[in-house]
Amino acid sequence: MNRTTFEPGPLAEVGCHADEDRWVLVFVRDLRHPPEKVWAALTDPARLSEWSPYTADRDLGVVGDVTLTMIDADRPEDLPASVIRAEPPTLLEYTSGNNVMRWELLATDHGTRLTLRHTVEDREWMPKVAAGWHLCLVVAEHLLDGHPIDPIRGEDARDYGWEELHEAYAKKLSG
């Protein structure tokens, strides 16, 4: 697969709401794989490096401190983080700086309904975060399907439809 044949697919179900002085993006995507398989992609450092904007220095499926290394910029950046809840294979919650990511996995007849609640400081980040996670989860789906593609990170995302996704999510989240 290359940039000309890449298809980002339909928009995810999204919403956002205020949480005291911060904002929570609610991003819902159905995956064709069981929760156990999705859980492994979310927690195993080797799997994370194949689809996520960061790597982890240990398995995220265990509560405690962890270092996430952002790899979506020119230079990798180590960020202290903490897994605050890990309930395999249904709930993973961790902090990184002022961000909180809460991944909820619900078994369905066709796989898993993944709900990500990503808390950030500023509402203007909502469509940006949604567009970024959209591309990451398309890559994760390919990985889970057994047909991995290269991760789409940082500035490269613009070549894979990030701008169009950003605009579409901005419209969805503005109402």
Side-chain angles (χ1 to χ4, degrees):
M1 180 170 302
N2 60 43
R3 295 171 190 209
T4 58
T5 61
F6 178 80
E7 175 55 48
L11 296 181
E13 294 176 36
V14 292
C16 69
H17 63 273
D19 182 13
E20 297 179 13
D21 61 341
R22 301 179 342 161
W23 288 88
V24 179
L25 171 71
V26 180
F27 187 98
V28 180
R29 182 179 175 106
D30 290 312
L31 302 171
R32 298 178 297 268
H33 305 279
E36 295 78 10
K37 193 169 182 180
V38 176
W39 178 264
L42 292 175
T43 59
D44 177 359
R47 307 282 287 178
L48 273 173
S49 70
E50 296 183 70
W51 68 270
S52 178
Y54 49 80
T55 60
D57 67 346
R58 67 167 183 83
D59 189 307
L60 296 180
V62 178
V63 171
D65 292 339
V66 62
T67 299
L68 300 179
T69 302
M70 291 299 292
I71 49 179
D72 68 346
D74 292 337
R75 290 181 300 172
E77 179 183 0
D78 288 343
L79 303 170
S82 183
V83 177
I84 53 179
R85 290 185 70 185
E87 300 170 13
T90 60
L91 178 64
L92 174 66
E93 186 172 7
Y94 50 92
T95 62
S96 176
N98 292 325
N99 290 295
V100 178
M101 275 81 56
R102 179 184 173 99
W103 303 86
E104 301 166 6
L105 307 177
L106 177 65
T108 66
D109 291 341
H110 303 288
T112 300
R113 174 156 272 223
L114 178 148
T115 302
L116 168 62
R117 298 175 196 285
H118 187 153
T119 304
V120 299
E121 300 247 347
D122 192 337
R123 189 180 199 288
E124 79 176 44
W125 277 91
M126 295 290 101
K128 296 172 186 172
V129 172
W133 283 122
H134 181 108
L135 289 174
C136 286
L137 289 170
V138 168
V139 174
E141 184 94 35
H142 281 277
L143 175 66
L144 292 168
D145 287 344
H147 306 290
I149 62 174
D150 289 337
I152 300 172
R153 300 182 179 118
E155 287 300 313
D156 285 344
R158 295 187 186 283
D159 295 332
Y160 288 89
W162 185 89
E163 293 286 348
E164 294 84 358
L165 290 167
H166 175 263
E167 288 176 27
Y169 280 120
K171 286 180 186 172
K172 270 186 107 164
L173 292 165
S174 67

